[in-house]
């Protein structure tokens, strides 16, 4: 008999009460986050489609909503808020900082200062 356990194998037996509570809480959080993502996306679409946002503020508004949505998705759906993810958090946020600085510098170099 092999001592190797397959981590992807379905669990046998009934989960404990603590595991059931944790799974229910996780399901509620993900469902609420899913509807929040739909609301943020709808708000962006409706605000631009109805011209509720001045045209000079439209792109920063959409980028702000996108940043909020990406942050929520990383922490809720990608589980970045859990323990033992500190190095993953550092690497992802450092990568995002470098990407933003690079895009900003390239926009400045090619003369895109007004959007």
């Amino acid at each position: 008999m092999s001592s190797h356990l397959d981590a992807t194998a379905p669990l046998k037996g009934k989960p404990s009460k603590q595991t059931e509570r944790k799974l229910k809480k996780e399901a509620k959080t993900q469902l609420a986050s899913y509807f929040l993502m739909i609301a943020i996306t709808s708000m962006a679409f409706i605000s631009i489609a109805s011209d509720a946002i001045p045209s000079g503020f439209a792109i920063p508004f959409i980028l702000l909503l996108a940043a909020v949505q990406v942050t929520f998705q990383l922490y809720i759906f990608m589980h970045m808020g859990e323990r033992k993810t500190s190095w993953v958090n550092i690497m992802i946020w450092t990568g995002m900082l470098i990407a933003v600085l690079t895009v900003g510098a390239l926009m400045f170099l090619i003369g895109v200062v007004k959007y």
Side-chain angles (χ1 to χ4, degrees), residues 49-99:
S50 67
D51 291 331
I53 302 294
S55 61
F57 186 63
I59 291 178
F61 180 71
I62 295 298
L63 289 176
L64 177 69
L65 289 178
V68 168
Q69 191 164 4
V70 164
T71 304
F72 273 125
Q73 287 186 3
L74 285 174
Y75 277 93
I76 303 289
F77 297 121
M78 301 301 288
H79 302 281
M80 280 181 56
E82 293 181 358
R83 294 180 184 171
K84 298 181 181 178
T85 58
S86 59
W87 279 109
V88 173
N89 287 345
I90 291 170
M91 299 299 275
I92 286 178
W93 289 117
T94 303
M96 286 190 183
L97 177 67
I98 290 172

Side-chain angles (χ1 to χ4, degrees), residues 3-74:
S3 64
H4 175 72
L5 295 176
D6 183 11
T8 60
L11 295 175
K12 293 181 180 178
K14 190 173 180 175
S16 66
K17 293 288 183 188
Q18 183 181 7
T19 303
E20 284 182 1
R21 275 186 255 134
K22 185 177 177 183
L23 290 175
K24 282 182 182 178
K25 182 180 176 186
E26 179 77 21
K28 286 180 184 176
T29 302
Q30 291 207 358
L31 193 60
S33 300
Y34 173 74
F35 286 113
L36 181 65
M37 298 303 139
I38 289 175
I40 289 174
T41 303
S42 299
M43 187 168 54
F45 178 75
I46 290 170
S47 65
I48 297 301
S50 67
D51 291 331
I53 302 294
S55 61
F57 186 63
I59 291 178
F61 180 71
I62 295 298
L63 289 176
L64 177 69
L65 289 178
V68 168
Q69 191 164 4
V70 164
T71 304
F72 273 125
Q73 287 186 3
L74 285 174

